[in-house]
């Protein structure tokens, strides 16, 4: 089979097209014919930077995948040959990813693809949908009546978090840069905050009467995490996906701080069924019209993954960059 591989860390030009052996089926797994994948920040980091997983990094990257089942391993009862499936199932921790024609995946990490989405659209969902679900449902425990602030409204995780928080019954306020205001207006948030026009104290006063938000989900982190701590109410909750340097405000406001790393089941081999269950539920929400993925306008094949990574690095993408299998 054809595959895009990396043999060293570096810029996007490290990808090479090679012939590799088609994966062999094994117990508890599926072999799928890859139809699409998508770019996550994680993929670009694994390609270019030393990480805790670099010593065991596979040559074939990208975790998100959508495709068709062509082989079913022993013990798998919920998938059949010909099923359209999606999931986040490799590209890290020694497990080959989706930048190839065929991929071996743990069936527990997979779910049936939403019927109303194309393969390209479905491939944009797994990592970001699971991350948003774990942050809002499992960690922040968002429920009806909560006022939630989400940083990064039009990002991969952010745009899904808005839709999920609304589904859970929350009032949702979001931050966005001016160039993405028009897109943010399509995501059904209750309040849209232009970060170049309002300070944190100004929008906290306007939207919460100065009290602060019940919960904040920060998909940007870095220096922005201090804005999240400032925006949260005393005894409020903050969740983020990235490391934090200074947590003084957490102590001063008695905040509950949550870290979200959806990779744990994939890397450690524990609780993998949870990802399949989350994605199965996400499929039902998509097919009911509750959730719709935001897809960048770009049109790359998997063999043009270098261009897709450059598109990501340019900062011009709005929504997820998805790649399709073009022969």
């Amino acid at each position: 089979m054809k595959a895009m591989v990396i043999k060293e860390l570096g810029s996007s030009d490290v990808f090479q097209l090679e012939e590799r052996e088609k994966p062999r089926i094994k117990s508890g797994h599926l072999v799928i014919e890859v139809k699409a994948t998508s770019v996550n920040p994680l993929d670009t980091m694994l390609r270019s930077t030393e990480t805790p997983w670099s010593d065991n990094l596979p040559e074939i990257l990208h975790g998100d995948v959508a495709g068709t089942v062509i082989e079913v391993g022993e013990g798998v009862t919920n998938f059949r040959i010909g099923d359209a499936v999606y999931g986040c199932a490799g590209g890290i921790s020694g497990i080959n990813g989706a930048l190839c024609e065929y991929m071996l995946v743990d069936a527990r990490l997979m779910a049936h693809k939403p019927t109303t989405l194309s393969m390209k659209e479905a491939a944009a969902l797994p990592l970001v949908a699971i991350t948003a679900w774990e942050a809002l449902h499992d960690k922040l425990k968002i429920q009806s009546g909560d006022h939630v602030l989400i940083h990064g409204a039009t990002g991969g995780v952010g745009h899904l978090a808005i839709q999920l928080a609304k589904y859970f019954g929350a009032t949702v306020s979001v931050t966005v840069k001016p160039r993405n205001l028009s897109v943010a207006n399509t995501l059904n948030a209750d309040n849209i905050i232009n970060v170049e026009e309002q300070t944190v104290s100004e929008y906290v006063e306007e939207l919460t009467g100065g009290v602060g938000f019940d919960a904040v989900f920060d998909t940007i982190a870095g220096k922005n995490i201090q804005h999240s701590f400032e925006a949260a109410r005393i005894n409020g909750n903050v969740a983020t996906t990235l490391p934090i340097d200074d947590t003084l405000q957490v102590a001063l406001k008695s905040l509950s701080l949550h870290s979200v790393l959806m990779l744990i089941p994939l890397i450690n081999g524990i609780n993998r069924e949870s990802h399949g269950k989350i994605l199965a539920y996400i499929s039902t929400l998509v097919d009911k019209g509750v959730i719709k993925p935001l897809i960048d306008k770009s049109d790359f094949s998997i063999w043009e993954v270098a261009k897709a990574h450059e598109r990501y690095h340019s900062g011009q993408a709005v929504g997820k960059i998805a790649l399709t299998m073009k022969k």
Side-chain angles (χ1 to χ4, degrees), residues 247-319:
T247 57
L248 177 60
Q249 289 193 76
V250 175
L252 294 179
K253 298 180 77 171
S254 190
L255 300 174
S256 295
L257 177 60
H258 305 272
S259 174
V260 182
L261 182 64
M262 64 76 63
L263 296 171
I264 288 174
L266 181 57
I267 293 170
N268 295 308
I270 59 173
N271 199 27
R272 287 186 170 182
E273 296 88 351
S274 67
H275 281 193
K277 290 177 181 178
I278 291 170
L279 290 177
Y281 196 74
I282 293 293
S283 284
T284 66
L285 295 182
V286 170
D287 289 339
K288 290 178 180 179
V290 174
I291 290 176
K292 181 178 181 180
L294 178 62
I295 309 296
D296 184 59
K297 66 180 181 180
S298 56
D299 183 23
F300 298 114
S301 75
I302 285 175
W303 317 123
E304 297 173 303
V305 62
K307 293 181 179 179
H309 279 221
E310 285 303 308
R311 171 76 175 170
Y312 171 81
H313 289 307
S314 75
Q316 298 302 306
V318 178

Side-chain angles (χ1 to χ4, degrees), residues 4 6 10-15 37-48 61-63 99 298 300-302 304-317 321 323:
M4 297 300 295
I6 67 164
S11 63
S12 59
D13 60 10
V14 298
F15 288 108
T37 184
S38 67
V39 179
N40 291 298
L42 173 68
D43 302 314
T44 67
M45 179 182 71
L46 292 172
R47 185 211 76 227
S48 62
L61 297 183
H62 278 227
L99 296 177
S298 56
F300 298 114
S301 75
I302 285 175
E304 297 173 303
V305 62
K307 293 181 179 179
H309 279 221
E310 285 303 308
R311 171 76 175 170
Y312 171 81
H313 289 307
S314 75
Q316 298 302 306
I321 300 170
L323 302 82

Side-chain angles (χ1 to χ4, degrees), residues 132-150 161-172 213-217 233 236-239 258:
W133 181 275
E134 290 183 347
L136 297 171
H137 182 270
D138 298 344
K139 297 296 183 76
L140 295 174
K141 302 187 185 303
I142 300 304
Q143 56 188 336
S144 180
D146 286 344
H147 193 168
V148 181
L149 174 65
I150 297 171
I162 293 168
Q163 297 173 74
L164 278 176
K166 289 294 294 182
Y167 173 71
F168 294 147
T171 297
V172 181
F213 296 90
D214 299 309
V216 182
F217 182 26
R233 64 170 173 80
N237 289 274
V238 177
H258 305 272

Side-chain angles (χ1 to χ4, degrees), residues 12-304:
S12 59
D13 60 10
V14 298
F15 288 108
Q16 303 175 40
L17 178 62
E18 291 192 357
E19 286 287 333
R20 289 295 173 96
E21 183 179 354
K22 180 182 172 184
R24 298 179 181 180
I25 192 63
K26 64 180 184 179
S27 176
H29 286 65
L30 309 168
V31 174
I32 62 174
E33 183 177 0
V34 176
K35 299 296 185 181
T37 184
S38 67
V39 179
N40 291 298
L42 173 68
D43 302 314
T44 67
M45 179 182 71
L46 292 172
R47 185 211 76 227
S48 62
T49 309
E50 286 287 344
T51 74
W53 309 289
S54 293
D55 289 342
N56 195 25
L57 192 66
E59 291 184 330
I60 303 175
L61 297 183
H62 278 227
D64 281 345
V65 65
T68 304
V69 176
I70 62 168
E71 293 184 70
V72 179
E74 183 180 356
V76 178
T77 60
N78 52 333
F79 296 104
R80 297 181 179 181
I81 291 173
D83 283 352
V85 296
Y86 77 137
C88 184
I92 196 171
S93 195
I95 307 169
N96 279 329
L99 296 177
C100 53
E101 292 182 297
Y102 302 97
M103 183 177 174
L104 178 70
V105 299
D106 187 328
R108 294 173 296 176
L109 295 166
M110 306 300 291
H112 292 92
K113 179 185 76 67
T115 59
T116 53
L117 295 186
S118 67
M119 289 286 188
K120 180 177 182 177
E121 292 169 323
L125 280 173
L127 184 148
V128 294
I130 293 169
T131 299
W133 181 275
E134 290 183 347
L136 297 171
H137 182 270
D138 298 344
K139 297 296 183 76
L140 295 174
K141 302 187 185 303
I142 300 304
Q143 56 188 336
S144 180
D146 286 344
H147 193 168
V148 181
L149 174 65
I150 297 171
H151 288 298
T154 59
V157 176
H159 84 280
L160 288 177
I162 293 168
Q163 297 173 74
L164 278 176
K166 289 294 294 182
Y167 173 71
F168 294 147
T171 297
V172 181
S173 297
V174 301
T175 62
V176 66
K177 293 183 177 180
R179 70 181 181 89
N180 293 330
L181 280 170
S182 60
V183 175
N185 279 318
T186 69
L187 298 174
N188 200 33
D190 296 285
N191 305 295
I192 297 175
I193 301 159
N194 182 336
V195 293
E196 293 187 7
E197 289 187 353
Q198 282 189 299
T199 65
V200 177
S201 61
E202 286 173 342
Y203 65 70
V204 167
E205 180 63 35
E206 177 187 341
L207 300 176
T208 74
V211 173
F213 296 90
D214 299 309
V216 182
F217 182 26
D218 192 334
T219 70
I220 301 171
K223 294 181 180 179
N224 193 73
I225 195 66
Q226 299 304 321
H227 298 323
S228 294
F229 297 154
E230 182 181 351
R233 64 170 173 80
I234 291 174
N235 294 317
N237 289 274
V238 177
T240 188
T241 57
L242 298 171
I244 298 165
D245 293 327
D246 182 0
T247 57
L248 177 60
Q249 289 193 76
V250 175
L252 294 179
K253 298 180 77 171
S254 190
L255 300 174
S256 295
L257 177 60
H258 305 272
S259 174
V260 182
L261 182 64
M262 64 76 63
L263 296 171
I264 288 174
L266 181 57
I267 293 170
N268 295 308
I270 59 173
N271 199 27
R272 287 186 170 182
E273 296 88 351
S274 67
H275 281 193
K277 290 177 181 178
I278 291 170
L279 290 177
Y281 196 74
I282 293 293
S283 284
T284 66
L285 295 182
V286 170
D287 289 339
K288 290 178 180 179
V290 174
I291 290 176
K292 181 178 181 180
L294 178 62
I295 309 296
D296 184 59
K297 66 180 181 180
S298 56
D299 183 23
F300 298 114
S301 75
I302 285 175
W303 317 123
E304 297 173 303

